[in-house]
Amino acid sequence: MKKTAALLTVLMLILSFAACGKKVYPYSFGEHVVTEGLYNYYRVSEAASAGDEAELSSAVKQRCSEYLAAIALMEKEKITLSSEFKRLAAENTENLWGLFSDYYNSIGVTKQDITRSQEHESRLLQLLDHFYGAEGKSPVKEMDLKERFVDMYVGFKAIEGSLTKINDKGETVSLTENEIKEKEELFSSMAKSINEGTATIDELNAEYNDSLGIIVTSPLSVLLTKEGDPMYEDDFFDTVNGISHGKAKAVKSGDSIYVIERQTIATDDEDAFMTYRSEVLQDMRMGKIEKKLKSLISEMTIEENL
């Protein structure tokens, strides 16, 4: 009897030590956890937009909860990450780690933590496809996607000229008022020629570049832009969107001046549409995925250990 009691005492001590050595994570749900490194990553990601510590803590908690909820929803729907989305997460991880590894290491974020963050982003895309993709539970009609694509983007061809030059000291400086005026007159003249049908934008682009000593061997590509595109100034989208289809206009934006010819992005233009299809679907339905996650979070008992 004494031997049995002694054995039980030893066993209880072993279990007690094991419990003390159990790793505690900031957030967890069942067997799934948010590591300290992932928690730190989310804190850094949210820090710039948070007004104070309370707001930051709330935003990070939401990010961590969504991370766990996405895993739970995937399990509930009995789906896993496809090879395509795994590859996307791996590529994004390599890009981020290649750029910021020193900084991540300094705040306790490992490469595996970055992988976890990018796999979460891929899970959102997998869930989007599962529910609303072409083969999903509630697929979005292709025509609806195409119509939204036309609303989101404007297409155009552009001849671009610089409103700066290099001075004798090798510095980049603005053109003089007279030089800017000459550029404006030239580009307005080119836009007028396009609108009157006396020349095409490709012909004028070749002539303009020839005057700069540049040989053009191919026609201009159709470019696409949307509101908030970091490639252009804030008002650029609205300006292009205000040009009638098939018409041209001289436009100043930032340090450049353009001859913009608005192009029609037809809803049956499969090449352009397919390039942006995934982004359009995200714009139309990712909000619903976020609502599903919030609903699931309200039903989950997520442990917090901070």
Side-chain angles (χ1 to χ4, degrees):
M1 187 70 178
K2 289 182 179 179
K3 288 183 178 180
T4 302
L7 182 60
L8 286 172
T9 300
V10 171
L11 182 58
M12 289 176 67
L13 286 170
I14 291 173
L15 291 173
S16 177
F17 284 128
C20 291
K22 182 180 179 181
K23 189 171 180 62
V24 177
Y25 295 98
Y27 291 93
S28 61
F29 176 73
E31 63 181 9
H32 302 297
V33 301
V34 172
T35 64
E36 188 173 350
L38 181 58
Y39 173 81
N40 290 341
Y41 174 79
Y42 284 147
R43 274 191 67 88
V44 170
S45 301
E46 295 292 333
S49 57
D52 53 28
E53 179 58 33
E55 190 175 330
L56 175 59
S57 296
S58 177
V60 174
K61 181 177 181 179
Q62 183 63 28
R63 291 285 293 273
C64 292
S65 298
E66 289 173 355
Y67 173 85
L68 294 169
I71 296 173
L73 186 54
M74 293 273 285
E75 290 181 344
K76 181 180 178 181
E77 294 294 320
K78 296 181 174 57
I79 59 174
T80 57
L81 277 181
S82 67
S83 57
E84 175 190 357
F85 288 122
K86 285 180 180 179
R87 184 169 60 253
L88 177 63
E91 290 173 355
N92 290 339
T93 296
E94 289 301 324
N95 291 335
L96 287 171
W97 192 254
L99 290 170
F100 307 115
S101 59
D102 289 343
Y103 174 68
Y104 289 144
N105 280 322
S106 73
I107 60 172
V109 176
T110 67
K111 188 175 183 180
Q112 192 172 7
D113 292 320
I114 299 301
T115 298
R116 292 184 180 102
S117 75
Q118 297 311 302
E119 285 181 342
H120 170 66
E121 300 302 323
S122 283
R123 284 190 198 99
L124 297 181
L125 295 176
Q126 186 79 67
L127 288 166
L128 182 70
D129 187 63
H130 173 69
F131 284 105
Y132 305 112
E135 304 298 326
K137 286 186 170 183
S138 302
V140 179
K141 293 180 180 179
E142 205 75 354
M143 185 53 67
D144 290 341
L145 286 168
K146 289 179 178 180
E147 288 178 355
R148 180 58 186 148
F149 167 63
V150 171
D151 290 338
M152 285 176 64
Y153 284 90
V154 292
F156 63 98
K157 286 187 174 185
I159 303 172
E160 181 178 1
S162 178
L163 296 176
T164 63
K165 62 182 178 180
I166 305 298
N167 65 15
D168 295 337
K169 296 179 181 179
E171 301 168 331
T172 300
V173 296
S174 296
L175 299 180
T176 65
E177 289 186 12
N178 286 336
E179 288 171 331
I180 291 175
K181 185 178 180 181
E182 288 177 4
K183 273 280 179 73
E184 289 174 341
E185 290 174 352
L186 172 61
F187 276 62
S188 294
S189 174
M190 287 193 285
K192 183 179 180 182
S193 295
I194 295 168
N195 291 332
E196 292 178 346
T198 57
T200 67
I201 192 169
D202 291 307
E203 292 170 344
L204 293 169
N205 182 56
E207 290 177 11
Y208 175 69
N209 279 280
D210 184 59
S211 71
L212 302 175
I214 302 171
I215 299 175
V216 174
T217 59
S218 57
L220 289 166
S221 299
V222 175
L223 305 175
L224 297 180
T225 188
K226 64 177 182 177
E227 193 167 7
D229 190 335
M231 288 287 292
Y232 303 100
E233 297 295 309
D234 292 341
D235 61 347
F236 189 80
F237 173 83
D238 289 335
T239 299
V240 178
N241 202 30
I243 301 172
S244 300
H245 290 86
K247 294 298 183 178
K249 182 179 180 180
V251 174
K252 284 201 301 182
S253 182
D255 292 330
S256 297
I257 184 169
Y258 304 87
V259 174
I260 300 291
E261 183 184 51
R262 177 80 181 276
Q263 302 291 306
T264 299
I265 308 175
T267 53
D268 61 354
D269 186 348
E270 291 300 322
D271 289 340
F273 169 69
M274 291 308 294
T275 300
Y276 293 90
R277 187 184 187 284
S278 176
E279 185 180 341
V280 175
L281 180 60
Q282 290 178 55
D283 178 79
M284 293 183 70
R285 290 292 185 269
M286 188 56 82
K288 289 185 176 292
I289 297 298
E290 292 169 354
K291 285 183 179 179
K292 289 179 184 293
L293 294 182
K294 286 180 181 178
S295 176
L296 187 56
I297 288 169
S298 68
E299 301 170 6
M300 298 166 64
T301 303
I302 297 174
E303 292 186 22
E304 183 175 353
N305 300 291
L306 296 173

